[in-house]
Amino acid sequence: MSEVKRRTVGRPANTAKASGGHSQSLVRGLKLLEYLAASPLGLALSDVAEMAELAPSTTHRLLQALQSQGFVTQENEQGLWRIDVKTFRIGNSFLEARDVVATTRPFLRRLTAETGETANLSIRDGATAVFLAQYESPQMMRMITRLGSRAPLHASGVGKALLAWMPADERSQLLEGRELVRVTTNTLYQPDTLQEEMAQIRGQGFACDREEHAIGLHCVAACVFDEYSTPLAAISVSGPMARIPEARLLTLGALVRQTADEITQQLGGQVPR
C-alpha cells in the first residue's frame, strides 16, 4: 500500500522562497505607492530610494514594474515619478464599497442645478484633499478640477472643512509639524491663524476658501461624517468671485452644510453636535 503525502491546500510547496522573494518585492512595491501617493507633486528616483531605504537600481526596477501595470507614471520633463490612474481607480473602489461616491453623486448634481456652480467631493489623504467626483457648472467660466488631483488641506475649502473636525491632536500635528505652503497671497499658512479659522468653521458649520487655492476663485465646503462623527469626506461648491461674492459665500455655505448633513444621514453617519 503506497503512502499518500498530504499537501497544504492553497500554499506553494516552497513557501520560504515565496515569502522571501516575491512577497518582499510586493511589499516594497506597495510601500513605493504609499510614498508617491503622499507626494502629489511627484518624487525623483533618488528621493523614493532614500525614503524606501533601497538601492536606486532596486527602486527603479520596482517602479518600472509598477509603471508597466499602470500604477505609476514618470514625467518626462523632470523625470519625477507619480501615481497613475489605476492606483486611483483601485482606491476609489473602496469608496464605492462604502457607497460614498455613489451616494453623493445625486446630491452634487442637485447642488450644481440649484447654484449654477461646480460641485465637488473630496477625501483626505495625509496632508492633502483628493478630488473624487464632480459636477461641472454649465457656465462658460467655471471651476474644473481633474479627478484624482490634490489640494493642500490648509489651502482649500474641502481641506479646511476636513481639518476643522479632525481630532485636535491630529490637526495640530498637521498644522504645526510641517512647513505650510503659501499657494496664493491669500493662503492662511500660520498655524495660530489657521487654528482660529478652524474654530470659526466649526461654529458656522462650513469652510470658506477666499482665493486661498486659486486667485479669482471662491469656494464653500462642508464635511460628511461617519458613524463616529469623524470626517469621512467633504463636499464643496466653487466658482469665480464675480458670481460668488462675499455675501453669497454665506448663503451657499448654509446650503452646502445642509446637503452634507443629508449625505451623512443617508450613509448612516452622525453629525457632531
Side-chain angles (χ1 to χ4, degrees), residues 141 186 210-211 214-218 239-246:
M141 290 181 59
N186 289 346
R210 299 173 171 89
E211 298 188 279
I215 294 297
L217 183 73
H218 273 181
M241 286 179 58
R243 292 200 305 269
I244 308 181
E246 183 65 28

Side-chain angles (χ1 to χ4, degrees), residues 130-226:
V130 184
F131 291 88
L132 299 179
Q134 180 179 87
Y135 271 89
E136 293 183 19
S137 165
Q139 305 285 346
M140 183 174 295
M141 290 181 59
R142 60 186 182 271
M143 179 270 198
I144 300 176
T145 301
R146 180 175 57 85
L147 297 186
S149 63
R150 296 165 179 263
L153 290 181
H154 71 283
S156 60
V158 287
K160 291 198 297 180
L162 291 166
L163 270 174
W165 279 279
M166 192 182 299
D169 56 344
E170 190 175 356
R171 180 174 60 250
S172 295
Q173 184 177 1
L174 282 171
L175 295 181
E176 300 167 14
R178 66 182 68 223
E179 183 178 354
L180 301 177
V181 178
R182 194 173 187 180
V183 182
T184 74
T185 54
N186 289 346
T187 301
L188 304 178
Y189 65 98
Q190 298 291 348
D192 290 345
T193 304
L194 280 164
Q195 292 285 18
E196 293 175 4
E197 177 91 346
M198 297 302 105
Q200 180 179 348
I201 291 169
R202 290 192 298 272
Q204 64 189 14
F206 57 88
C208 294
D209 170 0
R210 299 173 171 89
E211 298 188 279
E212 296 161 48
H213 184 62
I215 294 297
L217 183 73
H218 273 181
C219 171
V220 289
C223 262
V224 174
F225 298 94
D226 64 15

Side-chain angles (χ1 to χ4, degrees), residues 76-96:
N76 291 330
E77 186 175 343
Q78 299 183 15
L80 300 179
W81 290 89
R82 308 169 186 265
I83 60 169
D84 207 354
V85 65
K86 185 178 284 188
T87 302
F88 169 72
R89 287 173 181 166
I90 290 175
N92 197 40
S93 67
F94 167 75
L95 295 170
E96 293 284 4

Side-chain angles (χ1 to χ4, degrees), residues 64 66 163 168 237:
Q64 284 185 315
L66 291 170
L163 270 174
V237 166

